[in-house]
Every structure is written in structure tokens, then in C-alpha cells.
Amino acid sequence: MPKGMGKVVAQNKKANHDFSIEETFEAGIVLQGTEIKSIRNGRANLKDSYARVEGGEVFLHNMHVSPYEQGNRYNHEPLRTRKLLLHKREIANLIGATKEEGYALVPLKMYLKNGYAKVLIGLGKGKKKYDKREDLKKKEAKRDIERAFRDRQKDY
């Protein structure tokens, strides 16, 4: 199965708006106890999360996984820092890339693949305000063209 494919549990839609993604990496994630049950129920949120390389390892910060309802005292902390599992050469590549100014590691989506939770991380360069406006204009123009084409097809 190619990277990024599987049952999508959570998606960071704001990431493509705020960053231009240049490269993506598929990473496993280290979870505790009831976290996987909560993730399988779709109770994860990547909205304000980010990844950072610390001491030769990659960590995911600020990802919210709601406590599992039947977890009682074995439940986890919702906003804890989670370790991501990547190959050494991928981490070395990320260390070099994130040292450049303007680059960040952004989680794009979380999905289940072969029973394991995976996170698709993008190496993105932050967009300026005018870049965002330009993208919105392109998107609007494309939508108008498709709408006109669809209306024309209905006439025939």
C-alpha cells in the first residue's frame, strides 16, 4: 500500500493553506494504552500540531487524542508529546532540511494502515499572505471554470 493510503482518522486541512509542502514522510507513532482505541474511534485532532527533531529523534507536539470512554484510570494525557518512528536516514534528511529558515515539519494526516497508526508528515515552507491569496484566486477560478463547463454539459 503506498504512503498516505489507509483509513484516514484525522486530517490537517489548514496545513496546505499555510504551507507549501515539498516532501512527505510516512512515520509510525508510539502510543500508550488506550490511545489506539480512541484513535480508531476517530477521536484525534491534528489542528495545531507540529513535529520537531530533538536529539536525533522526531516528536509530535500538541496533537490531541481524546481520552477513551471505557479507559477509566488507564487513560492517557490528551496533549502529550508522542515519538514518531522514522528511519535514520530520513531523520538525518529532516535535520538538514529544518535547519533552513522557513521550513517546518507539519503533520498532514493520520491514518490506519495494516492495523497500525501512521502519520503523514510534510516538510513545508511557510506561505506569505500574498501566496495564500494567490492560491485562493486560482482555486476560485478553477471552480468557476468547472461550474461553467458543467452548466454547458446540462444544456446538451
Side-chain angles (χ1 to χ4, degrees):
M1 190 179 297
K3 73 177 176 183
M5 301 302 283
K7 181 187 174 221
V8 176
V9 179
Q11 205 165 11
N12 190 355
K13 294 178 183 176
K14 197 84 168 143
N16 284 323
H17 182 261
D18 292 338
F19 296 92
S20 57
I21 306 299
E22 296 181 3
E23 194 174 357
T24 59
F25 298 92
E26 182 181 68
I29 185 167
V30 177
L31 300 171
Q32 286 182 346
T34 57
E35 283 180 318
I36 188 64
K37 292 183 178 201
S38 192
I39 287 171
R40 283 197 176 116
N41 287 340
R43 315 261 296 147
N45 189 351
L46 293 172
K47 195 172 189 180
D48 295 324
S49 60
Y50 61 94
R52 186 180 282 165
V53 181
E54 299 167 0
E57 297 178 330
V58 183
F59 292 94
L60 188 61
H61 297 273
N62 224 19
M63 182 182 85
H64 188 276
V65 177
S66 298
Y68 187 58
E69 289 90 28
Q70 288 85 34
N72 59 46
R73 68 178 183 194
Y74 299 108
N75 259 329
H76 57 277
E77 189 180 323
L79 284 174
R80 76 178 188 87
T81 302
R82 294 164 179 90
K83 184 178 176 181
L84 296 179
L85 305 171
L86 290 160
H87 292 282
K88 267 187 182 177
R89 65 181 173 277
E90 290 177 329
I91 294 173
N93 191 1
L94 290 175
I95 289 171
T98 53
K99 291 215 172 162
E100 292 182 41
E101 194 160 329
Y103 282 93
L105 291 175
V106 185
L108 302 174
K109 64 179 166 179
M110 176 180 254
Y111 52 93
L112 297 172
K113 181 177 175 181
N114 299 333
Y116 294 103
K118 302 281 185 179
V119 179
L120 190 68
I121 292 190
L123 178 65
K125 189 171 178 84
K127 286 184 185 176
K128 303 277 188 245
K129 204 170 204 174
Y130 56 85
D131 290 335
K132 293 178 188 178
R133 284 193 207 118
E134 196 174 299
D135 285 349
L136 286 174
K137 285 179 188 174
K138 285 180 185 175
K139 196 174 181 180
E140 188 81 24
K142 186 177 178 183
R143 194 178 299 133
D144 289 342
I145 291 168
E146 287 177 2
R147 190 178 300 125
F149 187 71
R150 208 173 333 126
D151 291 343
R152 195 169 181 186
Q153 289 291 333
K154 286 181 183 177
D155 293 341
Y156 292 107

